[in-house]
Amino acid sequence: MGVDNSVTLESFCKNLKIEVIELTEDTMEFDMIGIDASLANAFRRILIAEVPTMAIENVLMVNNTSVIPDEVLAHRLGLIPLNADPKLFEYLSEHDTPNERNTIVFKLAVSCKKGSPRLTVKSDQLKWLPGGSELEMESPTPSAKPRTYTSFSRSQDSMPEFANKPLGVKHQDIIIDKLGPGQAIELEAHAVKGIGKVHAKWSPVATAWYRMLPEVILLKEIKGVDAEKLVKKCPVNVFDIEDVGKGGKKAVVANPRACTLCRECIRGVNEPQVELRRAKDHFIS
Amino acid sequence: MEHGSLTDLSSSTFSLIDEDHTLANSVRFTLNQDPRVQFCGYSIPHPSDNKVNIRVQTTGDPAKDVLKDALQNLMLMCKHVRTTFDDTVNDFRATEKVEHIDINSDR
């Protein structure tokens, strides 16, 4: 089969290699060599479903006269990616009160005046309320200070973690809603910490995938005109020509990473010249 | 939850709740590395229930201890992957920054 399954912990630690190919703010591509498929798949599954993020969960509607129903609007708000580090927050369970350590409060108040053209509500209109909820709950007894829907003991912008980076949405130009003349939206949105398993809005990745490195092996030397034909056949330029003294040309495998295993190089040839396999312990993207 | 016989501790089935292929396949892989294990496998009785059954049969040692060791090994492997990954990313970021400085100094 090619791979020795009796790998021990020390040899695993010695053999594991990770190479980063590309790293930007939004994407990352890297290779893992010397790891088994089950672990690579476990990492992929955990990336998609079990890494926590913050997303809007509860939406308190004050006024919504737009054409989008309340629940659809709330669903859309939940899917907006937020620029908040989930490590700074705790989980909010059913019995907890929302406070500054487990909730982020946003407010959206837009209206389109009669006589003006259609207004597009974009995600930059979601304002962060560092002091907590501003909507008041109905209190049974007339007390001096009415309670709001969250109990913030201190304003979030007085906390050192949020001093330099104000919380907000990640992308400012996501269209939430469109308002015609005379329509208005006023709502308050509470964001909490969660994982992708519960709802996909909490999944931090757009997607995560891997594939195994294709191994392209030339079974015998391919020279001259055959070499040029082979290079032309491959749609992604896996092969290349190497000049071997006296004008002779030899085909070599230049770029196995690009191979999509389309099998075009095997078609139409009587005897097996090229063998295509996957490296069982080399995971790339 | 462990289902086994009271007299023979070397074979039993462990039923884990709130787990799925993510943990079960990785644990099955680490169990396979252990030379004390005669047979190991996992199954998911029904995809709607969040349960996994892991079967371990050993050459004499109690199955519970072998499973514990396998889980410990898995934790250490993941820790090692984490440190290797962090080091690689930091090195990559450092070399990237150096290249940026070079580009800027040309202007």
Side-chain angles (χ1 to χ4, degrees):
Chain A
M1 292 281 273
V3 168
D4 180 12
N5 261 334
S6 63
V7 153
T8 63
L9 186 60
E10 298 102 58
S11 57
F12 172 81
C13 292
K14 254 194 297 184
N15 292 336
L16 176 71
K17 266 199 266 314
I18 300 184
E19 290 164 7
V20 180
I21 312 287
E22 187 198 329
L23 177 62
T24 65
E25 197 188 333
D26 290 333
T27 60
M28 178 168 184
E29 189 178 327
F30 63 97
D31 281 14
M32 274 179 146
I33 310 168
I35 198 172
D36 185 67
S38 56
L39 277 177
N41 193 33
F43 289 134
R44 184 193 62 90
R45 286 174 70 99
I46 291 174
L47 268 173
I48 294 177
E50 294 181 40
V51 177
T53 42
M54 305 292 293
I56 290 175
E57 164 86 349
N58 297 319
V59 176
L60 306 172
M61 291 285 186
V62 177
N63 184 15
N64 177 20
T65 43
S66 70
V67 290
I68 309 233
D70 289 349
E71 60 273 14
V72 178
L73 185 56
H75 179 250
R76 289 178 71 80
L77 286 169
L79 292 172
I80 296 175
L82 301 176
N83 206 354
D85 187 357
K87 291 197 274 271
L88 303 171
F89 290 90
E90 299 162 357
Y91 284 101
L92 172 72
S93 71
E94 280 172 23
H95 313 289
D96 288 343
T97 44
N99 58 36
E100 71 276 9
R101 280 182 307 277
N102 54 33
T103 315
I104 308 177
V105 180
F106 290 97
K107 176 175 158 158
L108 182 65
V110 194
S111 66
C112 186
K113 289 202 243 314
K114 275 196 154 58
S116 55
R118 296 192 143 247
L119 182 67
T120 305
V121 179
K122 292 205 175 161
S123 54
D124 57 356
Q125 313 224 2
L126 271 171
K127 300 270 179 298
W128 176 40
L129 298 177
S133 171
E134 287 171 356
L135 300 175
E136 289 158 2
M137 286 165 83
E138 291 171 9
S139 46
T141 58
S143 43
K145 192 172 164 208
R147 294 190 307 143
T148 63
Y149 283 95
T150 59
S151 346
F152 276 40
S153 58
R154 49 191 270 212
S155 170
Q156 271 174 336
D157 58 11
S158 68
M159 291 164 80
E161 302 95 68
F162 308 127
N164 295 331
K165 278 197 332 181
L167 300 176
V169 296
K170 184 105 204 292
H171 304 279
Q172 307 294 328
D173 53 353
I174 301 176
I175 297 178
I176 302 177
D177 198 350
K178 291 196 182 181
L179 295 176
Q183 294 173 349
I185 299 181
E186 194 185 331
L187 56 83
E188 214 176 71
H190 296 191
V192 295
K193 186 170 169 180
I195 57 176
K197 246 195 209 174
V198 176
H199 192 287
K201 71 187 176 195
W202 277 301
S203 175
V205 294
T207 188
W209 76 88
Y210 67 84
R211 62 186 177 121
M212 305 209 280
L213 180 75
E215 277 179 355
V216 183
I217 304 186
L218 295 170
L219 291 171
K220 37 179 231 209
E221 263 195 27
I222 301 178
K223 293 197 270 232
V225 181
D226 284 341
E228 289 189 17
K229 265 201 278 186
L230 187 63
V231 172
K232 272 212 198 94
K233 261 198 224 168
C234 182
V236 284
N237 297 331
V238 172
F239 299 101
D240 207 358
I241 299 275
E242 192 184 279
D243 290 324
V244 177
K246 292 205 184 156
K249 293 189 179 147
K250 196 174 78 156
V252 291
V253 180
N255 191 10
R257 279 180 82 96
C259 179
T260 54
L261 292 184
C262 66
R263 303 261 191 295
E264 208 33 59
C265 45
I266 311 184
R267 274 179 67 185
V269 179
N270 295 329
E271 22 164 276
Q273 290 176 313
V274 179
E275 189 181 317
L276 295 170
R277 282 200 305 249
R278 285 210 184 267
K280 287 219 175 354
D281 61 350
H282 190 151
F283 293 91
I284 68 177
S285 185
Chain B
M1 211 192 318
E2 180 181 355
H3 302 282
S5 96
L6 290 163
T7 46
D8 178 18
L9 292 170
S10 69
S11 321
S12 45
T13 305
F14 298 91
S15 185
L16 306 177
I17 309 184
D18 275 344
E19 290 297 341
D20 55 3
H21 301 278
T22 311
L23 179 70
N25 203 10
S26 321
V27 156
R28 182 201 56 81
F29 168 69
T30 44
L31 272 169
N32 258 327
Q33 311 318 321
D34 199 328
R36 301 174 287 176
V37 162
Q38 214 174 45
F39 172 83
C40 70
Y42 81 93
S43 73
I44 304 214
H46 194 280
S48 307
D49 308 328
N50 238 349
K51 275 201 200 130
V52 157
N53 287 343
I54 303 183
R55 174 85 186 159
V56 183
Q57 278 171 215
T58 69
T59 55
D61 288 16
K64 201 159 56 164
D65 298 337
V66 174
L67 184 67
K68 266 200 216 159
D69 288 342
L71 288 166
Q72 190 74 3
N73 266 350
L74 183 63
M75 255 191 353
L76 294 170
M77 274 194 206
C78 291
K79 238 187 225 169
H80 183 257
V81 173
R82 172 80 191 257
T83 47
T84 316
F85 184 76
D86 283 338
D87 292 339
T88 318
V89 170
N90 285 337
D91 290 341
F92 185 79
R93 282 221 173 99
T95 51
E96 274 257 291
K97 280 213 179 84
V98 168
E99 283 164 14
H100 276 171
I101 292 171
D102 283 341
I103 293 170
N104 283 336
S105 69
D106 281 348
R107 289 194 201 150

Coordinates of all heavy atoms in Angstrom, one line a residue, chain A residues 5-7 9 12-13 16 18 20 23 28 32 36 38-39 42-43 45-46, chain B residues 20-22 25-26 29 33 73-74 76-77 80-81 84-85 88-89 92-93:
Chain A
N5 N 1.8 1.7 8.5 CA 0.8 2.2 9.5 C 1.3 2.2 10.9 O 0.7 2.7 11.8 CB -0.4 1.3 9.4 CG -1.5 2.0 8.6 OD1 -1.5 3.2 8.5 ND2 -2.4 1.3 8.0
S6 N 2.5 1.5 11.2 CA 2.9 1.4 12.6 C 3.8 2.6 13.0 O 4.9 2.4 13.5 CB 3.7 0.1 12.8 OG 4.8 0.1 11.9
V7 N 3.3 3.8 12.7 CA 4.0 5.0 13.1 C 3.9 5.3 14.6 O 2.9 5.3 15.1 CB 3.4 6.2 12.2 CG1 3.6 7.5 12.9 CG2 4.0 6.2 10.9
L9 N 4.8 7.8 18.1 CA 4.7 9.2 18.4 C 5.9 10.0 18.0 O 5.9 11.0 17.4 CB 4.3 9.4 19.9 CG 4.0 10.8 20.3 CD1 2.8 11.3 19.5 CD2 3.7 10.8 21.8
F12 N 6.4 10.2 14.3 CA 5.4 11.2 13.8 C 5.9 12.6 14.0 O 5.9 13.5 13.1 CB 4.1 11.0 14.5 CG 3.1 12.1 14.2 CD1 2.4 12.0 13.0 CD2 2.9 13.1 15.1 CE1 1.4 13.0 12.7 CE2 1.9 14.1 14.8 CZ 1.2 14.0 13.6
C13 N 6.4 12.9 15.3 CA 6.9 14.2 15.6 C 8.1 14.6 14.7 O 8.2 15.8 14.3 CB 7.3 14.4 17.0 SG 5.9 14.2 18.1
L16 N 6.8 15.1 10.7 CA 5.7 16.0 10.3 C 6.4 17.3 9.8 O 7.2 17.9 10.4 CB 4.9 16.4 11.5 CG 3.8 17.4 11.2 CD1 2.7 16.8 10.3 CD2 3.2 17.9 12.5
I18 N 5.2 21.1 7.8 CA 4.1 21.9 7.3 C 4.8 23.0 6.6 O 5.7 23.7 7.0 CB 3.3 22.5 8.5 CG1 2.7 21.4 9.3 CG2 2.2 23.4 8.0 CD1 1.8 21.8 10.4
V20 N 3.9 26.6 4.4 CA 2.8 27.5 4.0 C 3.1 28.0 2.6 O 4.2 28.5 2.3 CB 2.9 28.7 5.0 CG1 1.8 29.7 4.6 CG2 2.6 28.2 6.4
L23 N -0.5 33.1 2.5 CA -1.2 33.5 3.7 C -1.6 34.9 3.6 O -0.8 35.8 3.5 CB -0.2 33.3 4.9 CG -0.7 33.8 6.3 CD1 -1.8 33.0 6.7 CD2 0.5 33.6 7.3
M28 N -5.8 31.0 3.3 CA -4.5 30.4 3.7 C -4.4 29.1 2.9 O -5.3 28.3 2.8 CB -4.4 30.1 5.2 CG -3.1 29.5 5.5 SD -2.9 29.5 7.3 CE -1.3 28.8 7.4
M32 N 0.6 19.7 4.3 CA 1.0 18.9 5.5 C 1.6 17.6 5.0 O 0.9 16.9 4.3 CB -0.2 18.6 6.3 CG -0.6 19.6 7.3 SD -2.1 19.1 8.1 CE -1.9 19.7 9.7
D36 N -1.7 11.5 8.8 CA -2.6 10.6 8.2 C -3.9 11.2 7.8 O -4.2 12.3 8.3 CB -2.9 9.5 9.3 CG -3.8 8.4 8.7 OD1 -3.3 7.6 7.8 OD2 -4.9 8.3 9.1
S38 N -6.9 10.6 8.5 CA -7.9 10.7 9.5 C -7.7 12.0 10.3 O -8.6 12.7 10.6 CB -8.0 9.5 10.4 OG -6.7 9.3 11.0
L39 N -6.4 12.3 10.6 CA -6.1 13.6 11.3 C -6.4 14.8 10.5 O -6.9 15.8 10.9 CB -4.7 13.6 11.8 CG -4.4 12.8 13.1 CD1 -2.9 12.8 13.4 CD2 -5.2 13.4 14.2
A42 N -10.0 15.3 10.4 CA -10.5 15.8 11.7 C -10.2 17.3 11.7 O -11.1 18.1 12.2 CB -9.8 15.1 12.8
F43 N -9.0 17.8 11.3 CA -8.8 19.2 11.4 C -9.7 20.0 10.5 O -10.2 21.0 10.8 CB -7.3 19.5 10.9 CG -6.3 19.1 11.9 CD1 -5.2 18.4 11.5 CD2 -6.4 19.3 13.3 CE1 -4.2 18.0 12.4 CE2 -5.5 18.9 14.2 CZ -4.4 18.2 13.8
R45 N -12.8 19.1 9.6 CA -14.1 19.1 10.2 C -14.2 20.1 11.3 O -15.2 20.8 11.5 CB -14.5 17.7 10.7 CG -14.8 16.7 9.6 CD -15.0 15.4 10.2 NE -16.2 15.3 10.9 CZ -17.4 14.8 10.5 NH1 -17.5 14.4 9.3 NH2 -18.4 14.8 11.3
I46 N -13.1 20.2 12.1 CA -13.1 21.1 13.3 C -13.1 22.5 12.8 O -13.8 23.4 13.3 CB -11.9 20.8 14.2 CG1 -12.1 19.4 14.8 CG2 -11.7 21.8 15.2 CD1 -10.9 19.0 15.7
Chain B
D20 N -18.6 12.4 16.8 CA -18.8 12.0 15.5 C -17.5 11.6 14.8 O -16.5 11.3 15.5 CB -19.5 13.1 14.7 CG -18.7 14.4 14.6 OD1 -17.6 14.4 15.2 OD2 -19.2 15.3 14.1
H21 N -17.5 11.5 13.5 CA -16.3 11.0 12.8 C -15.0 11.8 13.2 O -13.9 11.2 13.1 CB -16.5 11.1 11.3 CG -17.6 10.3 10.8 ND1 -17.6 9.0 10.5 CD2 -18.9 10.7 10.4 CE1 -18.7 8.6 10.0 NE2 -19.5 9.6 10.0
T22 N -15.2 13.1 13.5 CA -14.0 13.9 13.8 C -13.1 13.2 14.8 O -11.9 13.0 14.6 CB -14.5 15.2 14.3 OG1 -15.4 15.8 13.5 CG2 -13.3 16.2 14.4
N25 N -12.6 8.7 14.1 CA -11.6 8.2 13.1 C -10.2 8.5 13.6 O -9.3 7.6 13.4 CB -11.9 9.0 11.7 CG -11.3 8.2 10.6 OD1 -10.9 7.0 10.7 ND2 -11.3 8.8 9.4
S26 N -10.0 9.7 14.2 CA -8.6 9.9 14.7 C -8.2 9.0 15.8 O -7.1 8.5 15.8 CB -8.5 11.4 15.2 OG -9.3 12.2 14.4
F29 N -7.3 5.7 14.4 CA -6.0 5.7 13.8 C -4.9 5.5 14.9 O -4.0 4.7 14.7 CB -5.8 7.0 13.0 CG -4.4 7.3 12.7 CD1 -3.7 6.5 11.7 CD2 -3.7 8.3 13.2 CE1 -2.4 6.8 11.3 CE2 -2.4 8.6 12.9 CZ -1.8 7.8 11.9
Q33 N -2.0 2.3 16.0 CA -0.5 2.4 16.1 C 0.0 1.5 17.3 O 1.1 1.2 17.3 CB 0.0 3.8 16.5 CG -0.5 4.9 15.6 CD -0.5 4.6 14.2 OE1 0.3 3.9 13.6 NE2 -1.6 4.9 13.5
N73 N -2.1 9.9 23.3 CA -1.2 10.0 22.2 C -1.8 11.0 21.2 O -1.1 11.8 20.6 CB -1.1 8.6 21.5 CG 0.1 7.9 21.9 OD1 1.0 8.5 22.6 ND2 0.3 6.6 21.6
L74 N -3.1 10.9 21.0 CA -3.8 11.8 20.0 C -3.6 13.2 20.4 O -3.3 14.1 19.6 CB -5.3 11.4 19.9 CG -6.1 12.2 18.9 CD1 -5.6 12.0 17.5 CD2 -7.6 11.8 19.0
L76 N -1.2 14.5 22.3 CA 0.2 14.9 22.1 C 0.5 15.2 20.6 O 1.2 16.1 20.3 CB 1.1 13.8 22.6 CG 1.1 13.6 24.1 CD1 1.9 12.4 24.5 CD2 1.6 14.8 24.8
M77 N -0.1 14.3 19.7 CA 0.1 14.5 18.3 C -0.5 15.9 17.9 O 0.2 16.6 17.2 CB -0.6 13.4 17.5 CG 0.2 12.2 17.3 SD -0.6 11.2 16.0 CE -0.1 9.6 16.5
H80 N 1.7 18.7 19.0 CA 2.8 18.8 18.2 C 2.5 19.5 16.9 O 3.2 20.4 16.4 CB 3.5 17.5 17.9 CG 4.7 17.6 17.1 ND1 4.8 17.2 15.8 CD2 6.0 18.0 17.5 CE1 6.0 17.4 15.4 NE2 6.7 17.9 16.4
V81 N 1.3 19.1 16.3 CA 0.9 19.7 15.0 C 0.7 21.2 15.2 O 1.1 22.1 14.4 CB -0.4 19.1 14.5 CG1 -0.9 19.9 13.3 CG2 -0.1 17.7 14.1
T84 N 4.1 23.0 15.6 CA 4.8 23.0 14.3 C 4.1 24.1 13.4 O 4.8 24.9 12.7 CB 4.7 21.7 13.5 OG1 5.0 20.6 14.5 CG2 5.7 21.6 12.4
F85 N 2.8 24.1 13.4 CA 2.0 25.0 12.6 C 2.3 26.4 13.0 O 2.6 27.3 12.1 CB 0.5 24.7 12.7 CG -0.4 25.5 11.9 CD1 -0.5 25.3 10.5 CD2 -1.1 26.6 12.4 CE1 -1.3 26.0 9.7 CE2 -1.9 27.4 11.6 CZ -2.0 27.1 10.2
T88 N 5.7 27.4 11.8 CA 5.8 27.6 10.4 C 5.2 28.9 10.0 O 5.7 29.7 9.2 CB 5.1 26.5 9.7 OG1 5.4 25.3 10.3 CG2 5.6 26.4 8.2
V89 N 4.0 29.2 10.6 CA 3.3 30.5 10.2 C 4.1 31.7 10.6 O 4.3 32.7 9.9 CB 1.9 30.5 10.8 CG1 1.3 31.9 10.6 CG2 1.0 29.5 10.1
F92 N 7.0 32.1 8.2 CA 6.5 32.6 7.0 C 6.2 34.1 7.1 O 6.6 34.9 6.2 CB 5.2 31.8 6.6 CG 4.7 32.2 5.2 CD1 5.2 31.6 4.1 CD2 3.6 33.0 5.1 CE1 4.8 31.9 2.8 CE2 3.1 33.3 3.8 CZ 3.7 32.8 2.7
R93 N 5.6 34.5 8.2 CA 5.2 35.9 8.3 C 6.5 36.8 8.4 O 6.6 37.8 7.8 CB 4.5 36.1 9.6 CG 3.0 35.8 9.5 CD 2.1 36.8 10.2 NE 0.7 36.5 9.9 CZ -0.1 35.8 10.7 NH1 0.4 35.4 11.9 NH2 -1.3 35.6 10.4

